[in-house]
Amino acid sequence: TLEALTALVPPAAGFLIALQASAEQRRDILRFILLMALVSAMLAILQLSAGPGAAPVLFDTRHRGFGVGLFVNRNHLALFLLLAILIASLPGITGRGKKEKSSRSVEWGLRSACLLLLSLGVLATLSRTGAFLLPITIIASILINRRNKFKWRTVVVGALLGGFCAFALQFAPPVQALFERYTTAADDKRFEFWANTLVAVRDAFPLGTGFGTFTLIYPTVEPLAELTPDIVNHAHNDFLELILEAGLLGVVLLIAWLAAVALLAVRAGKSAQHRRERLLPIIVAVATGLVVIASVVDYPLRMNTIAVTMALLIGMLLPICQRLECAPSKRKWVLLVPLLLLAILTGATQAARSFFHVGGAVIAPWSAQLQSRQASHFQMAGDFTQASLAARRALAISPLDPQAVRVEGMSALSLGRSDQGAQLLSLGASLGW
């Protein structure tokens, strides 16, 4: 739960940065996001072209051979590129500022080039969700950008051009591979994840199991026939995972968040003075819709890049901060003290993980993971008394920690408590160890 809380720090920082940024700084932030998306798109195309053996991948990933860009997961890259397509449709983002006005044709040319490159990047991911949302995003960006009503000739030419591009692309090997992935969608493991998570939701609702507990709960409902060496880290449906962990409160929080974004977008649209300010709320609303759709089959907001991007966009819906109105309060310690405590907890936990063998469990006694690792360490060394004590400390923090249950069971057997040991090992088996 502490890790789930600290995961909110980067998007919170992004929100505050956007809130305090000037109009020019906000434009520069959006340009930087677009620049990183273009770099990722070019890298994704190169990765797909090179193939699994020669693809330049920055991180260890199971999606080697597909376009992952600067990401680890191709689905998350696809959504990030879709958000960048929306950002590129804002006036002045691909062109120059007011002091150095560029012609409309130059800006449209740059915007079209960005749209083409980002779209090819989405296709290079071979993400089914990304490919499904791509035409929706392109149409939305075109509609958002129009200054006047479309002439029927423009609509006809655009439809013919889009149809020709779609016809030409369908014969490309990557698109053929993408079509093939759609034919195997019924075999996707996500359906098993959802069914198992629903069982856990039924047992935990309405209170939930607590934020950050999915990986502890899921093995308790995972059928033996579905066990693999891989750990199911998320439900691949953020709504199911939210309901499992937060229960009814999670539903209330989700509705409140969506309502807050909608309210901010409406207020920003009414108070807008320039064209970019009028279009930004629409962009944020569409981007939120894309994230919501993607969250049905994935967990995009758990990725920092997407979370921070969305936080920046939502922060830009608020009025630009004025120096006098936004002067820091004399009571800023009210905010600084909790942040300082959170920083100490987070830093100590990370330090304890890095220096585990030299007293990590002592540095972060609140971490069940570190306590259970220490219990395993004592067990491997043959010190079952210390192993039992460490395992019990872990179980006092996280009663469903499978590693601690296993160590306590083995320690009980070694210390002569055979009945208790057998029961604990049977329980450990159901927890997925």
Side-chain angles (χ1 to χ4, degrees):
T1 303
L2 177 63
E3 292 178 355
L5 177 63
T6 56
L8 296 176
V9 173
F15 181 83
L16 294 175
I17 287 172
L19 181 63
Q20 305 226 5
S22 65
E24 291 301 311
Q25 289 172 335
R26 288 182 175 185
R27 187 186 66 176
D28 291 340
I29 290 171
L30 293 175
R31 283 179 168 178
F32 181 76
I33 295 173
L34 178 59
L35 175 63
M36 297 311 297
L38 290 172
V39 172
S40 280
M42 290 186 289
L43 185 56
I45 296 171
L46 179 61
Q47 289 164 342
L48 182 67
S49 303
V57 179
L58 299 182
F59 308 104
D60 186 22
T61 173
R62 298 186 63 181
H63 292 175
R64 179 177 289 275
F66 302 100
V68 293
L70 300 173
F71 284 66
V72 175
N73 187 301
R74 57 183 174 180
N75 298 306
H76 300 151
L77 171 63
L79 179 59
F80 180 61
L81 297 182
L82 294 174
L83 298 179
I85 289 176
L86 294 175
I87 291 174
S89 65
L90 283 171
I93 299 301
T94 55
R96 298 182 181 181
K98 295 180 179 179
K99 295 181 180 179
E100 301 178 72
K101 291 185 178 179
S102 57
S103 65
R104 188 182 302 177
S105 59
V106 172
E107 183 174 355
W108 270 99
L110 292 173
R111 189 176 297 163
S112 300
C114 291
L115 177 64
L116 177 61
L117 182 57
L118 293 172
S119 299
L120 292 177
V122 172
L123 294 177
T125 65
L126 298 189
S127 168
R128 290 173 295 206
T129 306
F132 172 76
L133 294 175
L134 178 60
I136 299 175
T137 307
I138 293 176
I139 294 173
S141 64
I142 294 175
L143 292 176
I144 290 170
N145 235 303
R146 78 187 197 282
R147 289 180 176 270
N148 303 306
K149 293 183 178 180
F150 287 116
K151 298 180 180 179
W152 67 269
R153 293 181 181 178
T154 305
V155 174
V156 171
V157 172
L160 290 175
L161 183 60
F164 174 77
C165 292
F167 178 78
L169 283 174
Q170 70 174 333
F171 298 106
V175 177
Q176 292 291 330
L178 185 59
F179 287 154
E180 185 177 351
R181 293 200 68 231
Y182 276 108
T183 62
T184 60
D187 301 327
D188 199 302
K189 291 288 185 181
R190 284 179 174 84
F191 298 114
E192 297 176 358
F193 302 160
W194 298 349
N196 298 335
T197 305
L198 280 172
V199 174
V201 168
R202 180 197 62 193
D203 295 339
F205 198 81
L207 296 180
T209 60
F211 284 108
T213 58
F214 177 83
T215 53
L216 293 176
I217 300 300
Y218 187 83
T220 68
V221 295
E222 188 176 21
L224 293 176
E226 297 177 11
L227 286 179
T228 65
D230 299 321
I231 296 175
V232 181
N233 59 340
H234 293 291
H236 289 73
N237 181 316
D238 249 358
F239 302 110
L240 281 179
E241 189 165 339
L242 180 64
I243 296 173
L244 171 64
E245 294 186 341
L248 184 60
L249 175 62
V251 179
V252 175
L253 287 173
L254 176 62
I255 295 174
W257 176 69
L258 292 174
V261 174
L263 179 61
L264 289 175
V266 172
R267 290 180 59 184
K270 290 182 179 179
S271 62
Q273 298 179 353
H274 305 289
R275 185 165 180 261
R276 188 193 309 160
E277 294 179 356
R278 290 194 299 270
L279 294 182
L280 182 61
I282 303 175
I283 293 291
V284 176
V286 176
T288 303
L290 294 178
V291 171
V292 168
I293 295 174
S295 296
V296 175
V297 294
D298 213 336
Y299 45 96
L301 283 181
R302 298 180 189 274
M303 298 296 104
N304 277 334
T305 304
I306 296 176
V308 172
T309 299
M310 288 303 301
L312 287 166
L313 290 174
I314 294 172
M316 291 180 189
L317 294 178
L318 292 168
I320 295 175
C321 189
Q322 302 298 325
R323 291 180 180 268
L324 295 178
E325 296 177 359
C326 299
S329 170
K330 294 181 180 179
R331 298 182 179 179
K332 59 184 178 181
W333 58 267
V334 176
L335 178 63
L336 291 179
V337 170
L339 287 177
L340 180 61
L341 292 175
L342 187 60
I344 293 173
L345 286 172
T346 306
T349 301
Q350 295 300 328
R353 288 179 175 177
S354 301
F355 304 102
F356 166 71
H357 292 292
V358 287
V362 178
I363 298 175
W366 55 81
S367 173
Q369 185 183 35
L370 287 171
Q371 298 295 334
S372 61
R373 285 181 62 187
Q374 187 180 55
S376 293
H377 179 71
F378 283 127
Q379 177 195 336
M380 297 299 292
D383 190 345
F384 291 101
T385 300
Q386 291 298 322
S388 177
L389 291 174
R392 293 186 180 205
R393 288 196 297 269
L395 293 172
I397 304 168
S398 177
L400 287 176
D401 188 294
Q403 188 175 8
V405 172
R406 181 198 68 205
V407 173
E408 177 63 8
M410 294 295 293
S411 300
L413 289 176
S414 301
L415 296 174
R417 304 193 305 269
S418 57
D419 291 340
Q420 185 186 37
Q423 291 176 357
L424 285 170
L425 290 177
S426 296
L427 175 62
S430 67
L431 293 178
W433 62 262

